[in-house]
Amino acid sequence: MENTAYIALGSNMGNRYDNIVNAINRLNGYPAIQLVNLSSIYETDPVGYEDQDLFLNMVIKVKTSLTAIGLLDICLKTENELGRKREIKWGPRTVDLDILTFNQENIESEKLIVPHPRMLERAFVLVPLVEIDQNLRLPGVDEPLNILLNELPDKEGVRIWKRKNGEDVFVPIGS
């Protein structure tokens, strides 16, 4: 399990919480993927295509023996198994899994760009990511993510929905 990746999860169709939990449990069920940490869950306003329901978003940290493309293939397979349909760009989805970072690598291929090209513009990604690792730096970016997050204008569209710690820890994830 030598590679470290951060994966963003989002859902705004059906039972959003169950969709996210099912996606995490499926990923963690692969022997080559080990869940290391997870953020709280945030309810967020849609970005891009705004005429849709609110999202639940979170970020997980995994260790994996897979390549970045191998991890992407499993993420796409998991989305499909949970009913993801790609009909409207940035539109409603049962579950969305985006690889944000893979080690400290810059990857640009037809299938995958890492670090995720729009993550620095999206509070719904940076808020949970910084919660897990506030000192995380991206390759080629001088500022730590917590500084970049403070500069984003749309943080009010990201609200805590289910805290990671405290009495409302969500047991099904990672158990």
Side-chain angles (χ1 to χ4, degrees), residues 93-107:
R93 65 220 44 194
T94 50
V95 70
D96 183 29
L97 303 173
D98 287 329
I99 299 173
L100 302 175
T101 68
F102 193 85
N103 300 324
Q104 282 291 305
E105 295 177 29
N106 279 307
I107 301 169

Side-chain angles (χ1 to χ4, degrees), residues 45-50 52 55 89-91 121-122 124 154:
D45 297 337
V47 172
Y49 179 75
E50 295 180 6
Q52 59 183 321
F55 279 84
K89 186 173 177 93
W90 296 322
E121 305 159 12
R122 295 179 169 169
F124 68 84
D154 61 345

